[in-house]
């Protein structure tokens, strides 16, 4: 009888969960912020200040953005008269080294690509080093995206020459990988982004390897962070014009392509990748970067970079930009069901406990009757 009752209760709860309306998931977090003419390309999250960091693509200025949309310019303080940002810098990639309170940025000029490291405070930054990145073709090289490992090393993609730099914590720069795999795949020269080679880069914590995107071939590579050895990641569909990449704490990788965000995972340390979900993005805003913010939420930056690069103004430069949370409906639906499952299991356990206690009381009454 006990097993029969337990089965009946379980069946009842299962029917209850199935027929109960699933609560709607919350709306994505959208942060609109005003900064005329900013056109930011890079996006990073500072867990210390709980603010996002963006940079003006053409001015070389850095700005913090709160979750309420308050944008503030970070004051640049020089620690030495011998180092300063070069004139007319183009800032593309950003990363925050939260262990050392540092902001890392890729900086480009007509003469050379650089990597800059700043001491990061709530309202200001101080330039610690400006490392010239080695290249045989300064006019072609482009320091695009940057990732940081737990030791303070920075990894930078050279989008123009298709190789990866490594810069140590103290600013010593070298070439990590010039793998032939980076130039093996054909490039559609008619594509408007045919000149964008290696682009987004992410360090996989605890694994000592990097995941790297190549925009003009739609490919992903796994690169050893120690010796630079590279392998291609097998993916069931092409990552069209892939740009930004970020890794969540649970190992899910988020890739930004032209008009889509891909949620991906791998069961074999990224020999092969699988697609969890594909989320539509605003094409006009051009989501150029992605980062993991507070609470493990994923955010993309709509910096209208194409508009800024092409010089397409309306009556004046754009004033408003936005940072927007990307949520997977498939993951959200799963999160909505689980509370009902737990409630149901708890109710089954409680009713079964009451049934057992009732039998115990009856048996005691019989013994003393």
């Amino acid at each position: 009888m006990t097993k029969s009752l337990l089965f009946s209760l379980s069946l009842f709860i299962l029917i209850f969960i199935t027929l109960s309306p699933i609560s709607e998931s919350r709306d994505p977090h959208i942060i609109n912020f005003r900064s005329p003419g900013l056109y930011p390309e890079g996006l990073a999250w500072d867990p210390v200040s709980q603010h996002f960091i963006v940079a003006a693509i053409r001015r070389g200025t850095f700005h913090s953005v709160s979750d309420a949309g308050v944008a503030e310019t970070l004051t640049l303080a020089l620690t030495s008269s011998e180092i300063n940002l070069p004139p007319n810098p183009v800032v593309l990639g950003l990363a925050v080294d939260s262990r050392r309170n540092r902001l890392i940025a890729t900086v480009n000029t007509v003469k050379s690509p650089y990597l800059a490291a700043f001491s990061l405070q709530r309202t200001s930054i101080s330039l610690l080093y400006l490392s010239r990145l080695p290249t045989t073709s300064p006019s072609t090289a482009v320091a695009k995206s940057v990732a940081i490992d737990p030791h303070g090393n920075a990894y930078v993609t050279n989008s123009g020459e298709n190789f990866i730099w490594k810069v140590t914590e103290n600013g010593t720069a070298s070439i990590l990988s010039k793998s032939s795999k980076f130039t093996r795949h054909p490039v559609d020269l008619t594509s408007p982004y045919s000149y964008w080679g290696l682009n987004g880069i992410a360090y996989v914590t605890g694994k000592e390897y990097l995941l790297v995107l190549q925009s003009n071939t739609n490919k992903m590579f796994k690169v050893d962070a120690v010796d630079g050895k590279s392998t291609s990641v097998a993916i069931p569909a092409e990552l069209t014009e892939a740009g930004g990449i970020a890794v969540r704490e649970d190992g899910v990788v988020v890739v930004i392509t032209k008009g889509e965000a891909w949620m991906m995972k791998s069961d074999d340390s990224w020999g092969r990748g699988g697609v969890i979900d594909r989320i539509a993005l605003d094409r006009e805003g051009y989501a150029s970067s992605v980062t993991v913010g507070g609470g493990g939420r994923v955010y993309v930056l709509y910096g209208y970079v194409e508009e800024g690069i092409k010089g397409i103004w309306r009556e004046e430069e754009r004033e408003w930009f936005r940072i927007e949370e990307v949520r997977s409906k498939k993951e959200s639906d799963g999160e909505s069901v689980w509370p009902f499952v737990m409630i149901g299991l708890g109710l089954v356990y409680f009713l079964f406990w009451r049934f057992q206690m009732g039998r115990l009381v009856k048996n005691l009454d019989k013994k003393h009757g």
Side-chain angles (χ1 to χ4, degrees), residues 37-52:
L38 186 66
Y39 298 101
E41 162 85 9
L43 174 69
W45 168 254
D46 178 16
V48 177
S49 68
Q50 296 286 297
H51 281 62
F52 293 96

Side-chain angles (χ1 to χ4, degrees), residues 3 45 71 113 198 247 270 315 354 361:
K3 292 182 180 179
W45 168 254
L198 296 182
V247 183
W270 291 98
E315 295 180 357
R354 287 197 60 183
V361 170

Side-chain angles (χ1 to χ4, degrees), residues 202-205 211 245-254 270 291-292:
Y203 181 85
V204 181
T205 303
L211 292 177
I245 183 172
V247 183
R248 296 193 323 202
E249 289 187 357
D250 61 1
V252 171
V253 168
V254 186
W270 291 98
T291 192
V292 179

Side-chain angles (χ1 to χ4, degrees), residues 180-239:
S180 61
K181 292 183 175 62
F182 300 154
T183 55
R184 177 178 298 175
H185 302 283
V187 174
D188 179 7
L189 297 179
T190 64
S191 167
Y193 299 97
S194 61
Y195 55 88
W196 284 123
L198 296 182
N199 196 334
I201 185 169
Y203 181 85
V204 181
T205 303
K207 302 293 186 179
E208 290 195 333
Y209 62 77
L210 306 156
L211 292 177
V212 185
L213 302 174
Q214 192 168 46
S215 298
N216 55 9
T217 64
N218 310 324
K219 303 300 182 183
M220 178 189 287
F221 301 97
K222 174 183 175 182
V223 181
D224 191 292
V226 178
D227 61 17
K229 181 180 178 181
S230 171
T231 57
S232 298
V233 178
I235 297 172
E238 287 199 337
L239 302 169

